[in-house]
PDB file of all heavy atoms in Angstrom:
ATOM      1  N   MET S 134     -92.524 117.757  20.569  1.00  0.00           N
ATOM      2  CA  MET S 134     -92.145 116.771  21.592  1.00  0.00           C
ATOM      3  C   MET S 134     -92.707 115.397  21.268  1.00  0.00           C
ATOM      4  O   MET S 134     -93.816 115.265  20.766  1.00  0.00           O
ATOM      5  CB  MET S 134     -92.642 117.236  22.969  1.00  0.00           C
ATOM      6  CG  MET S 134     -91.977 116.500  24.114  1.00  0.00           C
ATOM      7  SD  MET S 134     -92.873 116.680  25.664  1.00  0.00           S
ATOM      8  CE  MET S 134     -94.143 115.438  25.419  1.00  0.00           C
ATOM      9  N   HIS S 135     -91.941 114.356  21.623  1.00  0.00           N
ATOM     10  CA  HIS S 135     -92.411 112.989  21.451  1.00  0.00           C
ATOM     11  C   HIS S 135     -93.211 112.527  22.660  1.00  0.00           C
ATOM     12  O   HIS S 135     -92.816 112.754  23.811  1.00  0.00           O
ATOM     13  CB  HIS S 135     -91.225 112.018  21.265  1.00  0.00           C
ATOM     14  CG  HIS S 135     -91.673 110.589  21.216  1.00  0.00           C
ATOM     15  ND1 HIS S 135     -91.789 109.804  22.347  1.00  0.00           N
ATOM     16  CD2 HIS S 135     -92.099 109.824  20.178  1.00  0.00           C
ATOM     17  CE1 HIS S 135     -92.238 108.609  21.996  1.00  0.00           C
ATOM     18  NE2 HIS S 135     -92.420 108.601  20.693  1.00  0.00           N
ATOM     19  N   MET S 136     -94.305 111.862  22.384  1.00  0.00           N
ATOM     20  CA  MET S 136     -95.073 111.199  23.451  1.00  0.00           C
ATOM     21  C   MET S 136     -95.597 109.889  22.874  1.00  0.00           C
ATOM     22  O   MET S 136     -96.072 109.873  21.741  1.00  0.00           O
ATOM     23  CB  MET S 136     -96.239 112.114  23.863  1.00  0.00           C
ATOM     24  CG  MET S 136     -97.274 111.451  24.716  1.00  0.00           C
ATOM     25  SD  MET S 136     -98.555 112.522  25.455  1.00  0.00           S
ATOM     26  CE  MET S 136     -98.543 114.047  24.604  1.00  0.00           C
ATOM     27  N   GLN S 137     -95.468 108.786  23.621  1.00  0.00           N
ATOM     28  CA  GLN S 137     -96.103 107.543  23.180  1.00  0.00           C
ATOM     29  C   GLN S 137     -97.452 107.444  23.868  1.00  0.00           C
ATOM     30  O   GLN S 137     -97.511 107.501  25.105  1.00  0.00           O
ATOM     31  CB  GLN S 137     -95.246 106.321  23.524  1.00  0.00           C
ATOM     32  CG  GLN S 137     -95.831 105.032  22.960  1.00  0.00           C
ATOM     33  CD  GLN S 137     -94.991 103.799  23.261  1.00  0.00           C
ATOM     34  OE1 GLN S 137     -95.123 103.169  24.302  1.00  0.00           O
ATOM     35  NE2 GLN S 137     -94.114 103.459  22.341  1.00  0.00           N
ATOM     36  N   GLY S 138     -98.539 107.334  23.104  1.00  0.00           N
ATOM     37  CA  GLY S 138     -99.879 107.269  23.701  1.00  0.00           C
ATOM     38  C   GLY S 138    -100.357 108.655  24.097  1.00  0.00           C
ATOM     39  O   GLY S 138     -99.988 109.659  23.491  1.00  0.00           O
ATOM     40  N   GLU S 139    -101.149 108.715  25.151  1.00  0.00           N
ATOM     41  CA  GLU S 139    -101.688 109.994  25.633  1.00  0.00           C
ATOM     42  C   GLU S 139    -101.537 110.014  27.148  1.00  0.00           C
ATOM     43  O   GLU S 139    -101.411 108.956  27.773  1.00  0.00           O
ATOM     44  CB  GLU S 139    -103.159 110.129  25.217  1.00  0.00           C
ATOM     45  CG  GLU S 139    -103.942 108.879  25.520  1.00  0.00           C
ATOM     46  CD  GLU S 139    -105.448 109.079  25.604  1.00  0.00           C
ATOM     47  OE1 GLU S 139    -105.899 110.218  25.695  1.00  0.00           O
ATOM     48  OE2 GLU S 139    -106.154 108.069  25.633  1.00  0.00           O
ATOM     49  N   PRO S 140    -101.562 111.217  27.764  1.00  0.00           N
ATOM     50  CA  PRO S 140    -101.267 111.295  29.190  1.00  0.00           C
ATOM     51  C   PRO S 140    -102.095 110.337  30.058  1.00  0.00           C
ATOM     52  O   PRO S 140    -101.583 109.754  31.015  1.00  0.00           O
ATOM     53  CB  PRO S 140    -101.581 112.755  29.524  1.00  0.00           C
ATOM     54  CG  PRO S 140    -101.246 113.488  28.256  1.00  0.00           C
ATOM     55  CD  PRO S 140    -101.671 112.560  27.146  1.00  0.00           C
ATOM     56  N   ARG S 141    -103.380 110.140  29.704  1.00  0.00           N
ATOM     57  CA  ARG S 141    -104.246 109.309  30.546  1.00  0.00           C
ATOM     58  C   ARG S 141    -103.663 107.902  30.733  1.00  0.00           C
ATOM     59  O   ARG S 141    -103.785 107.300  31.793  1.00  0.00           O
ATOM     60  CB  ARG S 141    -105.631 109.226  29.883  1.00  0.00           C
ATOM     61  CG  ARG S 141    -106.800 109.164  30.841  1.00  0.00           C
ATOM     62  CD  ARG S 141    -108.110 109.471  30.117  1.00  0.00           C
ATOM     63  NE  ARG S 141    -108.169 108.907  28.769  1.00  0.00           N
ATOM     64  CZ  ARG S 141    -108.410 107.632  28.476  1.00  0.00           C
ATOM     65  NH1 ARG S 141    -108.618 106.754  29.449  1.00  0.00           N
ATOM     66  NH2 ARG S 141    -108.452 107.220  27.228  1.00  0.00           N
ATOM     67  N   THR S 142    -103.026 107.386  29.689  1.00  0.00           N
ATOM     68  CA  THR S 142    -102.622 105.973  29.706  1.00  0.00           C
ATOM     69  C   THR S 142    -101.141 105.735  29.401  1.00  0.00           C
ATOM     70  O   THR S 142    -100.708 104.596  29.389  1.00  0.00           O
ATOM     71  CB  THR S 142    -103.432 105.221  28.618  1.00  0.00           C
ATOM     72  OG1 THR S 142    -103.256 105.930  27.378  1.00  0.00           O
ATOM     73  CG2 THR S 142    -104.909 105.168  28.945  1.00  0.00           C
ATOM     74  N   MET S 143    -100.372 106.783  29.153  1.00  0.00           N
ATOM     75  CA  MET S 143     -99.047 106.597  28.539  1.00  0.00           C
ATOM     76  C   MET S 143     -98.045 105.809  29.377  1.00  0.00           C
ATOM     77  O   MET S 143     -97.119 105.217  28.828  1.00  0.00           O
ATOM     78  CB  MET S 143     -98.437 107.950  28.172  1.00  0.00           C
ATOM     79  CG  MET S 143     -98.125 108.828  29.363  1.00  0.00           C
ATOM     80  SD  MET S 143     -97.718 110.492  28.823  1.00  0.00           S
ATOM     81  CE  MET S 143     -97.483 111.306  30.416  1.00  0.00           C
ATOM     82  N   GLN S 144     -98.228 105.790  30.708  1.00  0.00           N
ATOM     83  CA  GLN S 144     -97.241 105.066  31.522  1.00  0.00           C
ATOM     84  C   GLN S 144     -97.656 103.620  31.789  1.00  0.00           C
ATOM     85  O   GLN S 144     -96.972 102.898  32.516  1.00  0.00           O
ATOM     86  CB  GLN S 144     -96.992 105.805  32.845  1.00  0.00           C
ATOM     87  CG  GLN S 144     -96.172 107.089  32.678  1.00  0.00           C
ATOM     88  CD  GLN S 144     -94.870 106.892  31.915  1.00  0.00           C
ATOM     89  OE1 GLN S 144     -94.729 107.300  30.765  1.00  0.00           O
ATOM     90  NE2 GLN S 144     -93.908 106.210  32.515  1.00  0.00           N
ATOM     91  N   ALA S 145     -98.800 103.177  31.183  1.00  0.00           N
ATOM     92  CA  ALA S 145     -99.316 101.837  31.492  1.00  0.00           C
ATOM     93  C   ALA S 145     -98.311 100.761  31.086  1.00  0.00           C
ATOM     94  O   ALA S 145     -97.981  99.891  31.882  1.00  0.00           O
ATOM     95  CB  ALA S 145    -100.653 101.627  30.802  1.00  0.00           C
ATOM     96  N   ASP S 146     -97.792 100.826  29.871  1.00  0.00           N
ATOM     97  CA  ASP S 146     -96.878  99.775  29.410  1.00  0.00           C
ATOM     98  C   ASP S 146     -96.098 100.262  28.196  1.00  0.00           C
ATOM     99  O   ASP S 146     -96.282  99.769  27.089  1.00  0.00           O
ATOM    100  CB  ASP S 146     -97.708  98.522  29.057  1.00  0.00           C
ATOM    101  CG  ASP S 146     -96.813  97.353  28.702  1.00  0.00           C
ATOM    102  OD1 ASP S 146     -95.616  97.366  29.084  1.00  0.00           O
ATOM    103  OD2 ASP S 146     -97.302  96.425  28.027  1.00  0.00           O
ATOM    104  N   PRO S 147     -95.215 101.264  28.412  1.00  0.00           N
ATOM    105  CA  PRO S 147     -94.506 101.802  27.245  1.00  0.00           C
ATOM    106  C   PRO S 147     -93.592 100.751  26.619  1.00  0.00           C
ATOM    107  O   PRO S 147     -92.901 100.024  27.328  1.00  0.00           O
ATOM    108  CB  PRO S 147     -93.698 102.972  27.823  1.00  0.00           C
ATOM    109  CG  PRO S 147     -93.730 102.839  29.294  1.00  0.00           C
ATOM    110  CD  PRO S 147     -94.840 101.910  29.668  1.00  0.00           C
ATOM    111  N   ARG S 148     -93.628 100.647  25.295  1.00  0.00           N
ATOM    112  CA  ARG S 148     -92.830  99.643  24.591  1.00  0.00           C
ATOM    113  C   ARG S 148     -92.167 100.221  23.348  1.00  0.00           C
ATOM    114  O   ARG S 148     -92.813 100.963  22.603  1.00  0.00           O
ATOM    115  CB  ARG S 148     -93.738  98.509  24.095  1.00  0.00           C
ATOM    116  CG  ARG S 148     -93.970  97.449  25.111  1.00  0.00           C
ATOM    117  CD  ARG S 148     -95.062  96.535  24.618  1.00  0.00           C
ATOM    118  NE  ARG S 148     -95.646  95.890  25.781  1.00  0.00           N
ATOM    119  CZ  ARG S 148     -95.539  94.607  26.021  1.00  0.00           C
ATOM    120  NH1 ARG S 148     -94.901  93.830  25.181  1.00  0.00           N
ATOM    121  NH2 ARG S 148     -96.071  94.087  27.110  1.00  0.00           N
TER     122      ARG S 148
END
Side-chain angles (χ1 to χ4, degrees):
M134 196 197 81
H135 175 271
M136 167 171 16
Q137 185 179 86
E139 47 160 346
R141 214 164 38 78
T142 53
M143 65 191 177
Q144 287 308 107
D146 186 20
R148 274 170 203 247

